[in-house]
Amino acid sequence: MSVTLTVNRKRIRLELDPATPLLYVLRNDLALNGPKFGCGMGQCGACTVLVDWQPVLSCVIPVSDVSEHEVITLEGLGTREAPHPLQLAFIEEQAMQCGYCVNGVLLTAASLLHTNPEPSEVEIRRALSDRLCRCGAHGRMVRAVQRAAAEQRPSRVAKR
Amino acid sequence: MRRRDFITTSGALVVSFSLGLHRWAEANDPPQELPGSLRDTPYLDAWIRIDGGGEVTVFTGKAELGQGIETALAQIAADELDVALERIRMVTADTGRTPNEGYTAGSMSIQRSGTALRYAAAETRAILLGLASERLGRPAEELEVDDGHIRSGGAEVTYWELVGEQTLHRRSTGSVAPKDPARLLHVGRPVQRLDLPAKVFGEESFVQDLRLPGMLHGRVVRPPGYGSRLESVETARTEKLPGVVKVVREGSFLAVLADREDQAVSAADRLSRDAHWSGSVALPRDGQLAELLRELPSTRFVVSEQGDPESTRELAAVSIQAEYSRPFIAHASIGPSCAVAVVRDGQWTIWTHSQGVYPLRDALAGVLGLPPGKLRVIHVDGAGCYGHNGADDAACDAALLARAMPGRPVRVHWSREDEFAWEPFGPAMSFRLHASLDAKGRIASWGHELWSPPQSFRPSARRSTLLGGRHAASVSVTGAAPGSWGSGGADRNSIPPYRLGQHRIVAHMVSDLPVRVSALRGLGAFGNVFAIESFMDELAHATGQDPFAFRLHHLEDGRARTVLETVARRSGWKGDERSSSGRGHGVAFARYKNAATYCAVVAEVSVESGTGKVRVDRAWAAVDAGRIVNPDGLRNQIEGGMVQASSWTIEEAVRFSSDRISSIDWSGYPILTFESAPNVEIELIDRPSEPSLGAGEAAQGPMGAAIANAVFAATGVRVRDLPISPGRLRGRWIDSGEPERAEKRPKSD
């Protein structure tokens, strides 16, 4: 069977079982590295992608469920040439150790900033509460989100 | 500089150069005491190579585990060589290319690899300056180096113009002194990690991201429990599933290979339901770990002894005894273990996130019945491991499956459930401490007994503990006799840093443990420091002394005193503020391994009255790691260690049913979240003239004890068994009640 989906602003048609979890399609058919396999049961958030700017756990959602929606992965959020403010902020704050959970944390934060450009620390921590980090880089990642929010603020841009 | 080359080096080519030669050289030439890992790998070109195009390649046998070691070592080499950081390409842990530096473990990388690179780079620079002096006809002292360009007056020559094929193929003398720390440009600065941009932009970074042409996906069907054997399996239904290429069975090792990963997952599920197993091993019941450890057969050894601590008890003003324990703790990596292997023309290549590519190579050679020279084991970044987790086992799984499909690369990625059920856990430990204090409240005698299995069962040439190999051979995966494994670091930090008077420290090494265990970050230090520093707090409270002042009274080491005084100032320590208000502060201190980084911690906790739920609100640490290579990297390690130890201390314990691991997902094994992780503040004390000290495992012990001490300050309840879960406080904490005390022995005892 075939499935059509939009990933990182590209329309793609694939021959596969529509019940296949989105994660395997992104990693194996589209060779994307951003979404990670962490648990396969929607508990850790390492597999997060954005579907219409909402964080979605790609390990438990069938690929056919997103065919009418826009999927964005870490690769589609920004690149070295055109980085998203969060990607820059994560580098500036050195906001990780191993980096395996960063995909889920960063994309979930991107969704938060999309709807709430000036979140408080409590709001950031609450938005990230289902994203697990084992290295203990939580504080740095929260600071990185705060930094990205500050960088995005129009007043800051105007001052430059 | 980024390590993008694992794809391009995917052939089975085994490169050998000076690594093989030095053993021969040493046989003829008695080895001198060269610094760091130069002792084992003395040739300069095993560490540093400069090609004609101006690229400087730095080799290390240590692996990037998310601790930032690749960057710290690049800083050290760039400084001593006088080249730009951007010019350096790092090659890490690869049995085909790098020195054998054993495991990346025990907070030793800066001390061992860093020291080797410091001296090798300094000598390389001196050799090249000597050549430049001849070429330019100027004395070496008049030459200046800027990013590999050597200048004097108007004349210039570069490292890469001077260096020939054999220039660096010589033994290090260890006699060229590294630079004065004051002249270093990169060391001591918060240089950004080299590997981070790739991870933030979703580029290939991890072994999980490795994709080779024609690669198959393998999934292993593990037995239901430790003691299970595979009796029979019906494979027909699995073999008919879409994408299934092969079912592999060897003894009790059962696996399936498929074209797609999701097909392999479905096929393994089918195969699991068609497999019949027999046998089981009874597992410890919750709450009886300490009893279990003391009942199992054990061998006793004395870690340290001075006088007879029993003899002073009767004379003492106060004599106190208390028992502590820590449970089995999972490494619980966010990314389950993964590896890729391929065998082509009798040559094997295995990509792994193992902490020790050489020992793994030798262990795999044993499992496969091959000479080690047929295998090349290459480290590729994985998710953080925090010790010996499933990484090596996944490599063995991939190798066994590659053998079943010669010529095809095979990727194995463990399921979350298998990662939790089959990783070797950080071992449970039990402790009994006693001390006597004199009339002035000073420690007159100290006793410390610990019960633990050996703490490290890493695979090696001598012994393969690899899961797949053991299942294939139907050999037990647990219960190794301790005699042949030593303590594995169970006694680490069991000797307190304090003036003790008479003391005896004894380790009981337990055998026949029915649980698979191995090294977890800090080994025995986490449990020993938790016990010692909790007990110090108990002694202080029992004699009406401030816990902070009590420690200082017994500490002579100036650097230890400084970190304690610093953390007291930083946290605004106001003396012993014991209350039953539900909020409190606790202090603890340790010097990791009694020889590495000094770390003192103050934790602030609040305990919810009703539920007994502990929350670590804030924590402060003061840290002395000698000369700091990368202050931000050090800070990151300490922060992470404090947060991880908070999770160990208040959340974590492996759970068992009668014969299974029952904590096999994140709901059964919860860890701290973004909402519960404390904010931490760290003060670093740089000592540029002192040697750099390992820091990756410095914070865990002090953090655990500081939390326990803070919980006591907050509630008056002393929790001596980890984790400090709500159940341990519920019903014991009575507002405004009298604080509980350790068992105080009357003199007539």
Side-chain angles (χ1 to χ4, degrees):
Chain A
M1 275 186 276
S2 79
V3 175
T4 309
L5 65 164
T6 308
V7 178
N8 297 335
R9 292 168 284 279
K10 279 191 201 122
R11 193 84 180 141
I12 300 151
R13 191 185 161 89
L14 294 163
E15 292 297 320
L16 47 75
D17 181 352
T20 308
L22 176 62
L23 175 67
Y24 295 115
V25 177
L26 298 174
R27 287 195 63 85
N28 298 339
D29 296 282
L30 306 181
L32 293 166
N33 299 307
K36 298 279 188 281
F37 176 81
C39 66
M41 44 192 140
Q43 292 181 336
C44 73
C47 67
T48 303
V49 297
L50 296 180
V51 176
D52 302 337
W53 283 97
Q54 285 302 307
V56 165
L57 301 170
S58 70
C59 74
V60 288
I61 187 170
V63 60
S64 55
D65 279 19
V66 299
S67 62
E68 299 306 314
H69 304 272
E70 195 183 351
V71 178
I72 292 178
T73 71
L74 193 57
E75 290 91 339
L77 189 70
T79 59
R80 284 180 194 253
E81 293 70 35
H84 186 277
L86 274 166
Q87 288 168 314
L88 290 180
F90 269 62
I91 294 172
E92 281 303 315
E93 294 289 338
Q94 297 283 288
M96 72 190 78
Q97 282 188 24
C98 78
Y100 201 86
C101 72
V102 159
N103 170 71
V105 175
L106 206 153
L107 287 178
T108 306
S111 172
L112 173 69
L113 295 187
H114 192 69
T115 52
N116 178 2
E118 295 188 36
S120 66
E121 181 181 338
V122 170
E123 286 172 325
I124 293 169
R125 286 183 181 269
R126 191 178 304 138
L128 297 176
S129 62
D130 294 333
R131 300 294 176 266
L132 297 181
C133 164
R134 183 56 164 164
C135 295
H138 306 76
R140 284 172 177 253
M141 292 196 269
V142 170
R143 284 202 299 277
V145 178
Q146 290 171 317
R147 175 191 277 259
E151 298 281 333
Q152 274 185 331
R153 234 164 265 153
S155 58
R156 285 284 298 266
V157 178
K159 270 185 212 163
R160 281 180 191 160
Chain B
M1 200 147 182
R2 287 175 295 121
R3 208 166 50 145
R4 289 286 62 76
D5 58 342
F6 61 74
I7 298 291
T8 54
T9 58
S10 63
L13 176 71
V14 176
V15 183
S16 70
F17 46 99
S18 54
L19 295 173
L21 295 175
H22 78 266
R23 301 216 174 274
W24 175 82
E26 277 173 1
N28 293 294
D29 187 9
Q32 316 151 19
E33 272 299 283
L34 286 169
S37 292
L38 282 175
R39 194 162 42 201
D40 301 318
T41 307
Y43 275 78
L44 294 177
D45 65 347
W47 298 95
I48 294 162
R49 295 210 221 161
I50 300 171
D51 73 10
E55 187 172 73
V56 177
T57 308
V58 170
F59 299 85
T60 170
K62 298 296 183 183
E64 179 60 51
L65 307 174
Q67 82 285 42
I69 196 64
E70 191 179 5
T71 308
L73 294 176
Q75 289 175 254
I76 290 171
D79 260 336
E80 295 299 336
L81 281 171
D82 269 330
V83 299
L85 206 50
E86 293 73 28
R87 195 176 287 284
I88 289 181
R89 190 173 70 100
M90 292 298 295
V91 174
T92 60
D94 174 348
T95 64
R97 296 202 285 177
T98 69
N100 180 356
E101 295 192 82
Y103 298 105
T104 304
S107 303
M108 292 300 290
S109 297
I110 293 290
Q111 280 156 275
R112 303 278 303 153
S113 206
T115 300
L117 278 170
R118 239 178 125 210
Y119 280 87
E123 189 160 353
T124 297
R125 180 180 180 276
I127 289 166
L128 292 167
L129 283 183
L131 293 172
S133 166
E134 286 172 29
R135 177 82 65 99
L136 302 175
R138 314 254 179 161
E141 309 82 68
E142 289 180 16
L143 302 176
E144 285 177 11
V145 192
D146 174 23
D147 187 21
H149 297 258
I150 306 170
R151 298 191 184 100
S152 177
E156 177 181 311
V157 65
T158 62
Y159 283 175
W160 33 102
E161 287 163 348
L162 290 167
V163 77
E165 189 89 344
Q166 296 294 312
T167 311
L168 299 179
H169 188 60
R170 61 168 88 174
R171 288 176 67 98
S172 161
T173 61
S175 62
V176 178
K179 287 182 180 173
D180 173 353
R183 291 179 49 226
L184 301 177
L185 288 177
H186 305 293
V187 168
R189 299 243 171 112
V191 169
Q192 292 192 342
R193 289 243 313 262
L194 307 175
D195 55 323
L196 257 50
K199 290 169 180 170
V200 157
F201 293 111
E203 298 166 5
E204 296 152 352
S205 295
F206 297 95
V207 68
Q208 286 87 349
D209 302 333
L210 193 51
R211 295 178 188 87
L212 300 182
M215 186 170 81
L216 295 172
H217 293 272
R219 283 292 185 281
V220 180
V221 175
R222 295 285 177 212
Y226 288 132
S228 312
R229 295 168 69 99
L230 182 59
E231 291 297 328
S232 66
V233 58
E234 292 136 39
T235 60
R237 271 180 292 199
T238 303
E239 282 158 351
K240 280 190 208 120
L241 289 174
V244 170
V245 175
K246 196 170 194 170
V247 172
V248 178
R249 182 191 171 176
E250 202 178 327
S252 292
F253 179 79
L254 182 64
V256 60
L257 288 161
D259 288 321
R260 293 178 57 90
E261 190 171 9
D262 44 292
Q263 291 167 337
V265 172
S266 306
D269 185 47
R270 174 73 264 164
L271 193 58
S272 165
R273 282 181 282 143
D274 291 341
H276 306 284
W277 309 85
S278 67
S280 65
V281 166
L283 294 178
R285 275 172 295 165
D286 286 343
Q288 302 200 324
L289 292 179
E291 292 80 353
L292 173 79
L293 289 169
R294 293 184 197 188
E295 282 165 10
L296 286 169
S298 62
T299 52
R300 174 183 184 274
F301 78 92
V302 176
V303 181
S304 176
E305 191 170 34
Q306 188 186 312
D308 178 12
E310 302 294 328
S311 67
T312 53
R313 264 199 208 187
E314 291 190 4
L315 307 169
V318 182
S319 180
I320 290 178
Q321 173 169 310
E323 298 189 353
Y324 305 87
S325 73
R326 58 156 278 188
F328 295 97
I329 298 175
H331 298 80
S333 184
I334 295 292
S337 297
C338 183
V340 178
V342 64
V343 52
R344 286 199 184 102
D345 307 322
Q347 291 289 335
W348 299 62
T349 310
I350 294 123
W351 293 266
T352 171
H353 51 113
S354 166
Q355 287 179 278
V357 289
Y358 278 91
L360 173 59
R361 179 196 64 175
D362 296 348
L364 285 172
V367 169
L368 299 167
L370 295 167
K374 295 278 184 197
L375 280 78
R376 178 177 175 190
V377 179
I378 303 170
H379 179 268
V380 187
D381 295 5
C385 60
Y386 327 108
H388 175 199
N389 68 349
D392 300 85
D393 299 315
C396 181
D397 293 341
L400 287 170
L401 295 182
R403 178 163 69 178
M405 288 298 289
R408 299 285 300 270
V410 175
R411 175 183 185 270
V412 173
H413 200 174
W414 280 17
S415 69
R416 169 53 50 200
E417 296 90 330
D418 282 350
E419 187 76 24
F420 267 125
W422 289 98
E423 67 143 285
F425 302 120
M429 295 175 81
S430 166
F431 311 88
R432 181 185 294 145
L433 275 71
H434 70 79
S436 301
L437 277 69
D438 64 21
K440 289 181 187 158
R442 301 290 177 265
I443 299 168
S445 74
W446 182 278
H448 179 123
E449 278 185 282
L450 69 92
W451 286 261
S452 171
Q455 295 256 336
S456 179
F457 289 92
R458 292 181 188 273
S460 67
R462 281 189 305 138
R463 276 172 295 218
S464 166
T465 50
L466 296 165
L467 199 56
R470 295 215 155 205
H471 282 150
S474 293
V475 176
S476 166
V477 302
T478 63
S484 57
W485 286 93
S487 77
D491 55 327
R492 183 163 290 178
N493 280 85
S494 60
I495 304 174
Y498 305 107
R499 205 166 37 231
L500 297 179
Q502 313 206 51
H503 70 264
R504 183 179 299 125
I505 291 149
V506 172
H508 302 272
M509 300 313 302
V510 173
S511 57
D512 299 339
L513 189 74
V515 181
R516 189 170 192 246
V517 296
S518 194
L520 175 69
R521 203 174 183 188
L523 302 175
F526 176 65
N528 282 314
V529 172
F530 163 71
I532 291 167
E533 289 295 295
S534 293
F535 196 52
M536 285 294 286
D537 220 57
E538 299 208 45
L539 297 177
H541 290 307
T543 50
Q545 303 181 68
D546 174 67
F548 169 74
F550 181 68
R551 284 174 174 78
L552 284 182
H553 281 312
H554 291 90
L555 269 179
E556 281 158 8
D557 184 337
R559 292 170 73 175
R561 297 177 64 90
T562 301
V563 291
L564 265 167
E565 284 157 356
T566 305
V567 80
R569 176 171 46 73
R570 186 71 186 251
S571 66
W573 184 266
K574 291 185 188 72
D576 185 10
E577 40 157 6
R578 195 152 28 105
S579 73
S580 297
S581 63
R583 268 184 106 72
H585 291 79
V587 64
F589 161 76
R591 182 183 190 192
Y592 186 55
K593 295 198 257 192
N594 293 346
T597 290
Y598 297 83
C599 181
V601 171
V602 169
E604 177 185 307
V605 306
S606 49
V607 185
E608 215 173 74
S609 59
T611 64
K613 176 86 187 144
V614 175
R615 184 184 164 83
V616 184
D617 295 313
R618 296 170 78 185
W620 298 261
V623 175
D624 172 355
R627 178 177 54 250
I628 298 170
V629 176
N630 187 324
D632 191 62
L634 173 59
R635 223 172 254 285
N636 201 349
Q637 280 301 300
I638 299 294
E639 286 169 12
M642 291 167 77
V643 173
Q644 191 173 73
S646 301
S647 189
W648 292 353
T649 303
I650 64 174
E651 294 273 5
E652 298 184 30
V654 174
R655 309 280 173 194
F656 306 97
S657 66
S658 59
D659 61 353
R660 312 261 170 108
I661 311 298
S662 57
S663 48
I664 56 166
D665 64 20
W666 294 112
S667 63
Y669 194 91
I671 60 173
L672 278 197
T673 67
F674 271 90
E675 287 187 285
S676 52
N679 275 316
V680 298
E681 289 175 35
I682 290 157
E683 186 152 333
L684 304 180
I685 298 159
D686 191 15
R687 298 195 183 272
S689 57
E690 298 286 345
S692 299
L693 300 171
E697 299 158 292
Q700 287 81 351
M703 187 68 187
I707 292 170
N709 295 339
V711 167
F712 178 78
T715 64
V717 178
R718 176 62 61 180
V719 180
R720 302 189 184 91
D721 300 299
L722 294 178
I724 308 176
S725 52
R728 304 226 199 266
L729 288 163
R730 213 180 297 129
R732 285 178 67 194
W733 172 31
I734 303 145
D735 283 335
S736 75
E738 182 67 12
E740 291 187 10
R741 292 210 188 281
E743 177 195 342
K744 208 183 237 181
R745 296 182 167 210
K747 275 187 173 181
S748 57
D749 189 19

